[in-house]
Amino acid sequence: MPADPPLPQRLLEHYNAMPRGERRLADLLLEDVRAVIDSSATALATRAGVSKATAARLFKRLGYPSFKAAQRALREQQAEPAPDRYGPTLGRLGGERPELGQHLQAEVRNLVATIEQQRSDELGQAVRLLARAQKLWVVGFGDNYSLAHFARSQLIKVRSDIRMIPLGGFSVPEEFASISESDVMLAFAIGRRTRSLRNIVASAMQAGTRLLYLTDGPALARSGEGSLTLKVRSTGTAMFDSPTAAVSLMAYLCAALGAHLGEAAVQRLRRIDAIHEDWGELAHPLEA
Amino acid sequence: MPADPPLPQRLLEHYNAMPRGERRLADLLLEDVRAVIDSSATALATRAGVSKATAARLFKRLGYPSFKAAQRALREQQAEPAPDRYGPTLGRLGGERPELGQHLQAEVRNLVATIEQQRSDELGQAVRLLARAQKLWVVGFGDNYSLAHFARSQLIKVRSDIRMIPLGGFSVPEEFASISESDVMLAFAIGRRTRSLRNIVASAMQAGTRLLYLTDGPALARSGEGSLTLKVRSTGTAMFDSPTAAVSLMAYLCAALGAHLGEAAVQRLRRIDAIHEDWGELAHPLEA
DNA sequence: TGCTAATGGATCATTTATGAAATTAAGTGT
DNA sequence: ACACTTAATTTCATAAATGATCCATTAGCA
């Protein structure tokens, strides 16, 4: 019943005050608190590249009397009712704010897992897809729309001919009709997958368009020839999933595409900046 | 012509290797690079709560021969014709894919710094703002549109009466006219801030609307009564900044709002699910 | 031009952090 | 109950980090 703060919380609270070595270990734990439960202090220290002494000190700093005590406490916490998803919200109603530390912990895990899971050659292939597409179709329905919008807003800084689906209030099939074999479709399928997505993906494959498919679910079924699935993790702590890792991966891909395109991309960026500047001036020539 | 990397890049690169004091200063600079140009080393050190010596050492670590040299270099970069954010890219052109590991590290740093920087009472206040607003105006221009869209798509799952600005092809002032004192505006100001944003924020304040302002820059100027600025870090490793941390913070806020609203939110979610299901069935009753 | 104030850079004494090794505690098997 | 093993904790010498202080240089000003 004492309900001491969970580990991620404590890590956050003391993060600033930690010296380098301890921070190294803290970073590790932020990625994976379970490690404390499973591993020994020695193993932990080794994994983080610090000495056992440092590990001991960290747990003291966090307010535990010792590593052992911390481990015990955490094991107990772990054993307690495993609240999950909507259920718990119903259960612990009444304005209980979810733990920030938990959130961070989950996000970091997602991020690390997502990024580490990527195969270098696949990323390279993805970048090439994005670069060589004649037209690029960015697809995101429902909750995926924001993600798609983000992707497009970054990609358009670096190359031209990018279409968005769905577009404004326009009917999808009409827009989609102009897709061709030399195009590429970048489709987002995080969380709830809609009918529309399945339909359009199916149509695209039928049309022979190559596909770059970002999902937190299973890979594309018949992903043959040129199509590619990138998996991301989006598990959230409370109520909703979080597209953070997807955003991050997409940000990376855009940067990578920029680097890939090289001079062309840079020039495009410059042009965009110039126009921005002009417009800024034109709109309000009075501002300081 | 050597086109040395800009300050934030360097800061991130060396961040892990920095001892506590230098890190404190680095954090300050990541929030406000301009400080180097404007302030003296002494002032900087004082602001960060470290000694001059530490400041000097930091700049040495970053690869500059001295603080002065760094300041000079940065002033030049700043003064250059176009905002040369892309300079470095030009330097290492030619399809070099940016380092995945670096990206990940930077993202995690941003995340941790962003989350850790939030004050619990402010987050609580933010949630209350979101909860009590009669109407909620979600504002995001330019690159911030995706973010705003994401925010709205999550928030709408949990409460009603959320407006989006800008909306479709509609003129902003016309929409905005109906704002009232009992409303709240959630405004995103990551990266490039547009005229429109400044205008609308100014108008909102004038109208007495409370503001929740998410930014990677300086806080809102006259943030009196009820308005609130949440700072996020968005420093990217290559070419573009990354809104990852902002997305994550927003995801948290939405979850927190859900918890805050409690039963009401859960019921709303259920209703939404039900409708989804109905529609799904109705649209394609044949699918497995 | 010469004086003053301020700023940056370097030095060094002090504090703090760190790992190797010694010590203690907790098991394990006999 | 007794070695014996293994892991945690403490100790301590060393290394690193830090800030106060001093000196040199520059900028501002009369």
Side-chain angles (χ1 to χ4, degrees):
Chain A
M1 201 103 313
D4 24 39
L7 186 58
Q9 206 80 319
R10 298 196 192 206
L11 286 169
L12 268 185
E13 266 159 36
H14 295 89
Y15 197 80
N16 279 324
M18 290 179 200
R20 251 192 331 194
E22 295 184 24
R23 227 173 65 242
R24 287 238 283 287
L25 187 51
D27 283 338
L28 183 76
L29 297 183
L30 239 25
E31 252 177 58
D32 176 16
V33 272
R34 281 260 294 272
V36 184
I37 299 176
D38 308 331
S39 332
S40 73
T42 313
L44 238 46
T46 312
R47 262 219 293 166
V50 299
S51 74
K52 302 185 292 175
T54 302
R57 278 189 291 260
L58 171 62
F59 285 91
K60 289 239 175 77
R61 183 192 300 278
L62 296 180
Y64 298 102
S66 74
F67 170 77
K68 274 221 146 136
Q71 197 175 49
R72 235 178 303 121
L74 291 170
R75 279 191 175 136
E76 278 166 25
Q77 268 186 24
Q78 169 88 163
E80 265 170 39
D84 56 355
R85 306 257 100 198
Y86 290 57
T89 314
L90 249 172
R92 53 162 173 73
L93 263 181
E96 278 287 351
R97 185 134 45 86
E99 290 290 351
L100 233 198
Q102 304 279 45
H103 174 72
L104 176 63
Q105 141 98 20
E107 294 284 66
V108 172
R109 273 169 83 73
N110 280 345
L111 245 176
V112 173
T114 299
I115 299 293
E116 276 181 355
Q117 167 179 104
Q118 302 307 323
R119 283 177 28 192
S120 174
D121 57 323
E122 287 191 337
L123 288 180
Q125 203 190 330
V127 170
R128 260 167 289 142
L129 273 178
L130 294 175
R132 296 191 186 150
Q134 184 158 88
K135 272 175 298 188
L136 192 53
W137 300 74
V138 180
V139 176
F141 293 99
D143 285 350
N144 286 296
Y145 183 86
S146 330
L147 212 46
H149 192 281
F150 167 64
R152 186 183 187 277
S153 74
Q154 293 296 95
L155 291 167
I156 198 65
K157 292 182 181 179
V158 150
R159 60 155 290 169
S160 56
D161 295 308
I162 311 187
R163 308 283 180 98
M164 182 88 187
I165 297 249
L167 186 59
F170 295 105
S171 159
V172 173
E174 275 79 351
E175 300 297 320
F176 182 73
S178 37
I179 204 165
S180 90
E181 268 197 43
S182 47
D183 295 350
V184 170
M185 173 177 292
L186 168 60
F188 293 93
I190 314 283
R192 208 197 295 277
R193 265 147 283 250
T194 66
R195 276 309 137 72
S196 310
L197 178 71
R198 286 175 214 190
N199 288 339
I200 207 170
V201 162
S203 297
M205 291 186 110
Q206 219 168 333
T209 304
R210 279 157 306 165
L211 213 65
L212 183 51
Y213 189 70
L214 233 100
T215 185
D216 62 348
L220 222 45
R222 309 149 290 159
S223 72
E225 75 261 21
S227 287
L228 188 59
T229 299
L230 297 182
K231 288 198 187 181
V232 303
R233 271 193 36 181
S234 63
T235 12
T237 40
M239 200 150 343
F240 305 123
D241 282 344
S242 153
T244 308
V247 169
S248 184
L249 181 58
M250 216 38 242
Y252 175 79
L253 281 177
C254 292
L257 178 62
H260 182 84
L261 295 176
E263 183 59 35
V266 174
Q267 283 191 1
R268 192 178 164 89
L269 279 165
R270 293 244 156 85
R271 235 176 307 141
I272 293 171
D273 266 359
I275 299 178
H276 263 297
E277 217 143 303
D278 287 354
W279 284 30
E281 292 303 325
L282 284 172
H284 293 246
L286 294 173
E287 224 212 36
Chain B
M1 207 91 326
D4 24 40
L7 187 58
Q9 226 97 317
R10 297 198 192 203
L11 286 168
L12 279 177
E13 238 165 74
H14 294 98
Y15 197 86
N16 329 296
M18 290 180 200
R20 250 193 330 196
E22 295 183 25
R23 220 172 73 240
R24 286 236 282 288
L25 187 50
D27 280 334
L28 181 75
L29 296 183
L30 280 171
E31 263 181 45
D32 176 16
V33 273
R34 283 270 298 268
V36 186
I37 298 176
D38 306 332
S39 330
S40 72
T42 314
L44 236 48
T46 312
R47 259 217 296 162
V50 300
S51 73
K52 300 187 297 174
T54 302
R57 278 188 290 261
L58 171 62
F59 285 92
K60 288 239 177 76
R61 184 191 300 277
L62 297 181
Y64 298 102
S66 75
F67 171 77
K68 270 218 150 139
Q71 197 176 48
R72 236 178 304 120
L74 292 169
R75 280 191 175 136
E76 277 166 24
Q77 268 185 25
Q78 168 88 168
E80 259 170 47
D84 196 341
R85 302 194 46 207
Y86 318 117
T89 314
L90 244 175
R92 47 163 178 70
L93 261 182
E96 281 285 351
R97 184 133 46 86
E99 280 296 335
L100 233 198
Q102 283 219 341
H103 173 74
L104 176 60
Q105 274 204 351
E107 294 282 67
V108 171
R109 296 246 157 283
N110 280 343
L111 247 177
V112 173
T114 298
I115 298 293
E116 174 244 10
Q117 166 179 104
Q118 303 305 324
R119 284 178 26 195
S120 171
D121 57 324
E122 288 192 335
L123 289 179
Q125 204 188 330
V127 170
R128 262 168 287 141
L129 274 178
L130 294 175
R132 295 190 186 150
Q134 185 158 87
K135 272 174 300 190
L136 192 52
W137 299 74
V138 181
V139 176
F141 293 99
D143 285 350
N144 286 295
Y145 183 86
S146 331
L147 213 46
H149 191 281
F150 167 65
R152 185 180 188 280
S153 74
Q154 293 297 95
L155 291 168
I156 198 66
K157 293 183 180 175
V158 149
R159 58 154 293 168
S160 56
D161 294 309
I162 312 186
R163 308 283 180 95
M164 182 87 187
I165 298 245
L167 186 58
F170 295 106
S171 158
V172 173
E174 274 79 350
E175 299 299 319
F176 181 73
S178 37
I179 205 166
S180 91
E181 269 196 43
S182 47
D183 294 352
V184 169
M185 172 178 291
L186 168 60
F188 292 93
I190 313 283
R192 209 197 292 275
R193 265 148 282 253
T194 66
R195 274 312 136 73
S196 308
L197 178 71
R198 286 175 213 190
N199 289 338
I200 207 170
V201 163
S203 298
M205 292 186 110
Q206 222 168 330
T209 304
R210 279 158 306 165
L211 213 67
L212 183 51
Y213 189 72
L214 233 102
T215 185
D216 62 349
L220 221 46
R222 312 149 289 161
S223 72
E225 73 257 25
S227 287
L228 187 59
T229 300
L230 297 181
K231 288 198 188 182
V232 304
R233 262 181 45 176
S234 63
T235 333
T237 41
M239 197 146 352
F240 304 124
D241 283 345
S242 152
T244 308
V247 169
S248 183
L249 181 58
M250 214 39 241
Y252 175 79
L253 281 177
C254 293
L257 178 62
H260 181 85
L261 294 175
E263 183 58 34
V266 175
Q267 283 191 2
R268 192 178 165 89
L269 277 167
R270 294 249 154 82
R271 235 176 307 141
I272 292 171
D273 269 358
I275 299 178
H276 263 297
E277 216 140 305
D278 287 355
W279 285 30
E281 292 304 325
L282 285 171
H284 292 247
L286 294 174
E287 226 213 32

